[in-house]
Amino acid sequence: MSRTLRLDAILIQAVIAGALSFAHLHDLAAAAGQDGWKAWAYPVSVDLLLVAAWRRMRKDGGSRDAWLWFAIALVASLGANVATAGLLDMNDVPDWLRILVAGWPALAFLGGTLLAHAPTPEQKPDLEPLAEPDLEPATPNLVVERVPEPAPELPPAEPAAQETPSVPETAPEPVPSAPAASVPPALLDHARKIADAHHAQTGAPIDAATLRARLGIPAPLADSIALQLT
């Protein structure tokens, strides 16, 4: 309720002040020789220029043109109010005042045109920050499969030497030892790597049994390889 009463008081005060200023401008224009409807048009012209300059200042407060024309219209309004307060003989208006009153329409038209067609500063649109792209490349899960080394070809196992039946009447002849099995170079190189690794881990040379278990080869071939590695 108090807010409504305060607004009403402000509006009433504005109407009274506007009516008094309007009447003073009318009286001054009539005393300067502007009779009839022309005397009523002068206060309208002054007040409209004030409103136009004020709106331009509200729109862009840094405009010098708006402040200039607002000051000109304010001086015209205040001058008319002061002049009609008894400081000026309304029956004998000086010539310079008649010139000012007669030239006011052109001045007001120029000011209103400049204010209406003044360039409005462009407002830069607010640029929203762009979403940063995901710079982390998608790394596919690569599964590296090791190709197993081909197993060296093993020579066919030689058939065990057939024992000859012993003849009781004669002394048994000594059986000659089986010749050493031939070892492929690839198998020998692979066995040497295993032997070096075994020696590095245990500090002792590899034996034929261990070599046979590592390579999965027959005993004669393991013995032959062990002999060549020593």
Side-chain angles (χ1 to χ4, degrees):
M1 184 66 179
S2 60
R3 182 177 179 84
T4 305
L5 292 176
R6 184 172 58 185
L7 290 177
D8 292 344
I10 294 174
L11 291 177
I12 293 173
Q13 178 67 22
V15 170
I16 294 175
L20 292 175
S21 178
F22 193 92
H24 291 164
L25 286 169
H26 170 268
D27 294 343
L28 183 63
Q34 305 296 327
D35 54 353
W37 66 270
K38 293 182 289 184
W40 293 104
Y42 273 85
V44 176
S45 174
V46 174
D47 291 341
L48 286 180
L49 186 59
L50 273 173
V51 173
W54 177 79
R55 291 190 62 182
R56 175 59 62 176
M57 286 190 300
R58 286 289 301 272
K59 199 169 186 179
D60 50 340
S63 176
R64 296 182 179 179
D65 294 340
W67 281 100
L68 174 63
W69 289 107
F70 183 82
I72 292 174
L74 185 61
V75 169
S77 180
L78 289 176
N81 294 330
V82 173
T84 55
L87 300 179
L88 182 65
D89 186 3
M90 301 298 291
N91 296 322
D92 187 12
V93 178
D95 294 338
W96 62 267
L97 185 56
R98 293 177 182 271
I99 294 173
L100 288 179
V101 173
W104 173 256
L107 185 64
F109 178 78
L110 176 63
T113 303
L114 293 177
L115 291 174
H117 297 282
T120 303
E122 297 181 357
Q123 296 181 355
K124 297 181 179 181
D126 297 335
L127 299 180
E128 298 182 357
L130 298 179
E132 296 183 358
D134 188 6
L135 300 180
E136 297 182 359
T139 305
N141 296 328
L142 300 179
V143 180
V144 180
E145 296 182 358
R146 300 185 60 181
V147 180
E149 298 181 358
E153 297 181 358
L154 300 178
E158 295 182 359
Q162 297 180 357
E163 297 181 357
T164 57
S166 59
V167 181
E169 291 82 8
T170 60
E173 297 180 358
V175 180
S177 59
S182 60
V183 182
L187 181 59
L188 184 61
D189 293 339
H190 186 61
R192 184 174 286 107
K193 293 180 181 179
I194 295 176
D196 294 339
H198 180 79
H199 185 271
Q201 292 178 358
T202 61
I206 191 170
D207 54 355
T210 304
L211 190 62
R212 176 187 177 187
R214 293 285 185 89
L215 296 176
I217 57 179
L221 185 60
D223 296 337
S224 178
I225 295 176
L227 290 175
Q228 296 186 33
L229 293 179
T230 56

